Amino acid sequence: MRPLRACYITLLLLPLLLSPLRAQSLEVEQIKALALESLEQLLAEGLISPEQSQAQLELLEHWLAEPLDLNTASSEELRQFALLSEYQIYHLIKARTDRGGFFGSIYDLKLVQGWDERLLRRLMPFVRVVPRAKPRPRLLEGGASSAALTSSWSNRPLREALGGPLATSIRWQYHTRGGLSAFFAAAQDQGEPWSYEGYKGFDAYSGHLSITRLGSLRRIVLGDYRAAWGLGLVLSQGYMLSSLGRPLRPRPGRGLTPVSGTAEGNKLRGLALEWEEGPWQLSAFLSKRWLDGRIDEQGVIYGLSESGLHRSAAEWRRRAQIPMSAWGLRLGYSTTQLRLALQHLSYRWAGYRLATAQGAMGIEQLSHLSGHGNSSLSYLWLSGSGATQLSGELARSALGSWAVVQQLWHRFEGVGDLALELRYFSPLYWAYYSAGVGMRPRPRDEEGVRLSLERVELSRGLELGAAVDLYRAVGRASEPKQSRAHLLALDLLYHPQPSLALTLLIRHHQRPEGTKRQRIRLAATFSSSEATLRLGTTLLNIGHRTKRQSNQRAWAFDARLSGQIDSGTHWWISGLYFDAPLWQTRLYSYEPRTSFDYTPHFVWGKGWRLTLGVKWRIANRLGQR
């Protein structure tokens, strides 16, 4: 079967599948599908890590469990939604103020400039509007809890594994309308032992206790949480997911978010709070975690990792050996049109020295660090109409190196959005918790410019997003041919009716070392009152601009059909056929996924995978999947 046949199959099936379907609002599964399309592209280009993609999907589940009240949501909380632009956020806050601080119902939002019925339909599962005529619920009022036990088994043996083929996790969550949230989870991956060298029990535990909007105290969290400040030069855990039609552009930080998943990395653990009084905000946190790694006789740390996998004896010896403490402080000033913030983050390894900073192999100044820190000034300015935005962040590391990002965004009414970004990262700039800026998982040794067109509505239901990013390694500027690189991105989203969504994603990436990657993703999602169908195909081509050797190619075709028999019984069938002969041509996929498993799977080689699933409610409060 040739690779292009997958494209032909997808295109030929579209008219056949469209005709019998009846219109229905875009369901949660379709919204997740759109999010996965964007995440898979970012993972494939190496712009985010698997841990960052997990954080975004975990956030989607959090919104489903605790929908955000648009009458009380801050601008930072609203920026968590990739579907919302700064223009829409600005006019929501302005309209809310003009109306005396609240909306009567969610349908009042159709009167807000930049908001329409299609946007409300997509946001509906994740937001709510609580009329302010009702008194604010007490802290423990309106409580609801949920618990889940997830188990999966694989007959694929793991080499040198200490444990069996069973992976198990348990989780419990409780939240109230008054702003209290509690969470606990424990997880055991396949191959990890239940008992080894005196240790018994689950391999990893996670939990939090969080209270929001307690007077001037906007949020306090005890346990596991994530934080993001500014544009990500100092602190950005997780990734502010860009929706389709907004390729590559990061979003400003979102503050503190409690962790409600079993991911073992990319988080902080300790105490955090956010305080707000008038235009002033203060955020602070204190964290201490034990990470995986090895310490030699001289007290030097090697192999620092947050993967959380402890399946073999070698992995177990590195388990929780590295103490890492961190503290951060942020002071912000905010008005309707201007936001300023100073932030600082410092971290140490209890007197031990880090052999090499991640992503900075061979750089002497970033070796044998006993601690590190970063400070920055960030700002965001909006014009009076909200149509123009200027934002940026200037950061300095403890070694005296600098990094800067400047962004200009303007909305052309009836056309779309235009965004320009300029950035510079010194070769010695490094921040452990930085992410989502530039063309590396952590910003370092790079200067670049990015121009993008976003949310361009070509016709009714047809939306375009395009971006070009030109960048190079600062440390190799004397070798222009070897240091130059670029990334071209094109997103097309066709949504002619509520029951149909088509996406076309194209990426062309030439890296500084000369590797060229072309990636095309075509997908279609259909829904009816009985079922939802998703079809997709991915083509990948990897070459080199100087080496005269044959290109490496990979392709895959995937499909997922899901539906419900009644209100308590849901089913799904998913399949994947792939041909990715080499590790360099591996493809990312989020199938199969058990409940609350946000880990992306990658496949290479040649083969197929079929997943059958059913979820049904046994009793009023008990379900099985």
Side-chain angles (χ1 to χ4, degrees):
M1 187 174 185
R2 295 179 180 178
L4 288 179
R5 286 188 189 174
C7 285
Y8 298 152
I9 292 173
T10 304
L11 292 172
L12 289 172
L13 286 175
L14 297 186
L16 299 177
L17 293 167
L18 178 61
S19 56
L21 295 178
R22 298 195 296 271
Q24 178 181 314
S25 296
L26 198 65
E27 298 291 345
V28 173
E29 289 299 323
Q30 292 176 280
I31 298 174
K32 288 183 179 179
L34 294 176
L36 293 177
E37 299 290 356
S38 181
L39 287 173
E40 288 172 5
Q41 292 292 322
L42 295 167
L43 281 167
E45 297 303 331
L47 301 181
I48 63 173
S49 67
E51 291 78 17
Q52 291 164 346
S53 70
Q54 291 177 44
Q56 183 62 46
L57 293 176
E58 180 187 308
L59 200 56
L60 284 177
E61 300 287 352
H62 174 74
W63 291 330
L64 287 172
E66 301 179 50
L68 187 64
D69 182 6
L70 295 181
N71 272 335
T72 60
S74 66
S75 57
E76 287 79 11
E77 291 172 320
L78 292 168
R79 286 193 192 93
Q80 298 177 17
F81 292 95
L83 295 171
L84 293 179
S85 67
E86 288 291 342
Y87 180 80
Q88 292 164 329
I89 294 172
Y90 170 81
H91 280 286
L92 174 67
I93 302 263
K94 184 176 182 298
R96 193 171 66 188
T97 303
D98 294 342
R99 296 173 64 94
F102 68 91
F103 296 97
S105 75
I106 198 167
Y107 300 102
D108 291 344
L109 295 170
K110 290 193 290 186
L111 303 176
V112 177
Q113 190 169 342
W115 291 61
D116 55 26
E117 187 175 348
R118 185 176 66 174
L119 176 63
L120 292 178
R121 190 168 56 240
R122 292 184 179 182
L123 290 175
M124 196 78 75
F126 309 107
V127 300
R128 60 178 176 168
V129 169
V130 179
R132 287 286 77 93
K134 298 181 179 180
R136 173 178 170 79
R138 296 177 181 178
L139 183 62
L140 300 178
E141 185 177 342
S145 64
S146 63
L149 168 65
T150 302
S151 184
S152 60
W153 177 85
S154 173
N155 65 352
R156 179 181 298 175
L158 295 175
R159 186 178 301 176
E160 300 179 352
L162 299 172
L166 191 68
T168 305
S169 69
I170 58 173
R171 52 179 286 145
W172 170 83
Q173 189 165 11
Y174 175 80
H175 59 88
T176 70
R177 293 201 307 268
L180 174 67
S181 171
F183 174 82
F184 172 79
Q188 189 85 351
D189 290 320
Q190 179 191 2
E192 292 180 336
W194 289 95
S195 176
Y196 186 71
E197 293 187 346
Y199 179 88
K200 296 181 179 180
F202 285 92
D203 179 70
Y205 297 89
S206 178
H208 77 252
L209 179 65
S210 171
I211 301 176
T212 59
R213 305 193 182 282
L214 194 63
S216 297
L217 193 63
R218 192 164 66 185
R219 182 186 292 275
I220 182 169
V221 183
L222 179 63
D224 293 339
Y225 56 91
R226 294 189 178 96
W229 293 340
L231 291 177
L233 291 181
V234 170
L235 177 61
S236 180
Q237 293 180 301
Y239 183 81
M240 294 308 295
L241 176 65
S242 294
S243 63
L244 299 177
R246 303 184 69 254
L248 308 181
R249 190 163 73 94
R251 299 283 292 270
R254 63 172 183 268
L256 298 175
T257 304
V259 172
S260 299
T262 57
E264 299 180 49
N266 191 40
K267 63 183 180 182
L268 298 163
R269 174 171 289 175
L271 178 66
L273 60 88
E274 290 179 319
W275 172 86
E276 183 175 22
E277 187 66 40
W280 295 95
Q281 304 97 39
L282 178 67
S283 301
F285 70 82
L286 184 63
S287 167
K288 184 170 184 179
R289 299 180 58 214
W290 290 82
L291 308 182
D292 295 347
R294 179 177 64 86
I295 303 175
D296 68 4
E297 294 79 3
Q298 286 76 39
V300 179
I301 300 170
Y302 293 90
L304 185 66
S305 170
E306 297 190 30
S307 69
L309 294 176
H310 312 116
R311 300 164 297 188
S312 65
E315 291 175 337
W316 190 266
R317 285 192 295 269
R318 295 192 293 267
R319 181 181 184 272
Q321 295 296 307
I322 315 299
M324 182 172 180
S325 58
W327 67 270
L329 188 66
R330 176 186 182 271
L331 177 64
Y333 176 82
S334 177
T335 65
T336 305
Q337 295 181 237
L338 179 66
R339 287 189 286 273
L340 297 172
L342 287 169
Q343 42 251 338
H344 174 78
L345 176 63
S346 180
Y347 34 93
R348 301 183 65 83
W349 295 277
Y352 300 111
R353 291 170 291 133
L354 188 63
T356 302
Q358 286 90 333
M361 184 71 70
I363 299 180
E364 183 180 354
Q365 295 90 331
L366 291 174
S367 302
H368 294 82
L369 298 174
S370 59
H372 199 59
N374 305 83
S375 303
S376 76
L377 167 66
S378 62
Y379 75 95
L380 187 147
W381 172 83
L382 286 168
S383 64
S385 64
T388 303
Q389 171 193 313
L390 186 64
S391 60
E393 185 172 8
L394 176 65
R396 186 179 187 272
S397 76
L399 297 177
S401 54
W402 293 87
V404 62
V405 176
Q406 296 290 330
Q407 296 178 348
L408 173 64
W409 171 88
H410 183 77
R411 177 184 178 87
F412 293 93
E413 194 65 36
V415 179
D417 306 339
L418 177 67
L420 174 67
E421 176 187 286
L422 303 175
R423 62 185 184 274
Y424 171 84
F425 312 137
S426 163
L428 297 182
Y429 184 83
W430 182 76
Y432 182 84
Y433 287 114
S434 178
V437 189
M439 306 305 291
R440 299 172 183 262
R442 290 185 176 91
R444 190 189 66 78
D445 190 21
E446 179 181 309
E447 59 183 0
V449 57
R450 178 181 298 161
L451 181 66
S452 60
L453 289 171
E454 306 168 356
R455 307 177 188 270
V456 179
E457 191 163 347
L458 302 178
S459 63
R460 181 174 177 81
L462 181 60
E463 192 173 294
L464 166 72
V468 55
D469 196 304
L470 307 176
Y471 68 101
R472 67 175 182 176
V474 178
R476 301 174 62 185
S478 59
E479 310 172 44
K481 290 185 178 181
Q482 284 72 36
S483 65
R484 292 174 184 168
H486 62 264
L487 174 59
L488 308 177
L490 176 68
D491 291 359
L492 277 174
L493 173 61
Y494 184 48
H495 193 263
Q497 52 183 295
S499 61
L500 173 65
L502 307 177
T503 58
L504 174 64
L505 311 178
I506 301 176
R507 300 290 187 269
H508 173 85
H509 193 180
Q510 179 170 299
R511 300 178 185 272
E513 67 273 14
T515 303
K516 295 189 298 183
R517 295 171 60 95
Q518 292 94 29
R519 181 182 173 90
I520 299 175
R521 170 71 177 169
L522 176 64
T525 304
F526 313 90
S527 66
S528 73
S529 57
E530 290 84 18
T532 298
L533 175 65
R534 179 190 178 198
L535 298 172
T537 183
T538 303
L539 305 177
L540 175 65
N541 181 67
I542 300 179
H544 200 281
R545 66 182 165 196
T546 57
K547 295 180 180 179
R548 296 181 179 179
Q549 60 185 27
S550 59
N551 292 355
Q552 302 168 358
R553 294 182 175 87
W555 69 276
F557 176 77
D558 58 272
R560 178 184 172 94
L561 180 64
S562 60
Q564 62 182 55
I565 300 174
D566 52 48
S567 60
T569 306
H570 301 259
W571 56 268
W572 66 94
I573 304 172
S574 65
L576 174 69
Y577 188 92
F578 57 92
D579 186 356
L582 301 175
W583 171 253
Q584 293 82 356
T585 61
R586 64 191 180 276
L587 301 170
Y588 286 91
S589 169
Y590 279 90
E591 290 288 351
R593 281 181 56 199
T594 57
S595 297
F596 314 111
D597 176 18
Y598 313 113
T599 306
H601 303 269
F602 48 81
V603 294
W604 79 96
K606 185 175 182 179
W608 58 271
R609 188 173 65 206
L610 180 66
T611 304
L612 309 176
V614 64
K615 175 183 177 182
W616 70 93
R617 186 176 297 277
I618 300 174
N620 186 37
R621 296 189 177 185
L622 184 63
Q624 173 70 38
R625 177 174 175 139

